[in-house]
Structures are given as structure tokens and as C-alpha cells.
Amino acid sequence: MGRPLNKRFFADATTGPGAGDEIKVNFHDGAGVKEGFIVKQKGSKRFVCSETGTLDTLHTCVLTTGKLPAALAAGEMAISFKMDDEETYTVSKIAGRKVTLSAPSATGTNLYDGKSVPWNFSTSTTDGAAQVEEAGADDIDNTDDDDFTADA
């Protein structure tokens, strides 16, 4: 499986994302595309996901490359990143410290399409790292929810 993701980036299926840094995903549960979070990793591109607000409902999904979240098919998932060029990318490969970015559409400059870069949750646009969407609420009023899916 390579270097798996650290479990601190996942949320518990019974309580959902909290004040920590949990990775937000979009996945198709067979009925439609849902926003959610990762519960656990089963392989390099297979994850168990749960829908935000619908706890304890698990779906095993395959990380899909180059698709906008709205175009996902049943059993597919996408993780969105924002890079320093302010463009939104999906990921074709994710590991503990690096991601390989993929442009989900032909709009924008797509300077980082196919590039492997470090990733984090920082909003900096000069650190050379991709910012992953955060599923939990880390603002004091528990209202933040990053949404990078401008092309969706």
C-alpha cells in the first residue's frame, strides 16, 4: 500500500469530523454524490467513507482520477486540493506526505497537473504545498467547511 495516510486525518464513523484536521471527500454512495470524510484506508486507492451528517453509514470507495465530484459513479470518490495557483485539483495518488495532482477539467491554468507535491491543511498560497479540503469544523463557532469544488 505504500505509505498510508496517518489515522489522525480520519474521523470516527459514529461521531464524525470534529475540531481536528480530517480529510474531506466527495463520494458516490450508489444514490448520488455526497460530501463526507474518510473513516479508514483499505489500500492505496481504497477508502471507507461516511457521509457528513449521516453517521455510521459506511461506503468503500475507490479514489478516481480526473473527474469532477459531480461526475463520480457509484463506488468512486475524489479528494479536492487547492494549489498555489488558486486552481482546484483532484488527486490521482495520495500518501503520507505527498500527492499527485490531476486537473479535473480544462479550465484554468492547471500548472500542477500531474505534479507530485507536498500537502497540508494550510491556506498559504506561497508554501509550495497543496491544501486539502478539511471535513471538520475548526473555527471557534464550528462553521468552517472548505469547499474547493468551483468547477463542480
Side-chain angles (χ1 to χ4, degrees), residues 45 63-66 79 81 89-95 97-103 112-119 130:
K45 293 190 176 199
L63 187 62
T64 304
T65 304
I79 304 172
F81 287 83
Y89 295 88
T90 58
V91 59
S92 62
K93 181 179 177 183
I94 185 168
R97 294 185 176 97
K98 288 198 159 205
V99 295
T100 302
L101 300 174
S102 175
Y112 293 93
D113 185 27
K115 305 268 194 243
S116 178
V117 297
W119 67 274

Side-chain angles (χ1 to χ4, degrees), residues 85-89 103-113 150-151:
D85 63 351
E86 294 291 322
E87 294 291 333
T88 300
Y89 295 88
S105 70
T107 62
T109 59
N110 299 323
L111 294 174
Y112 293 93
D113 185 27
D151 284 344

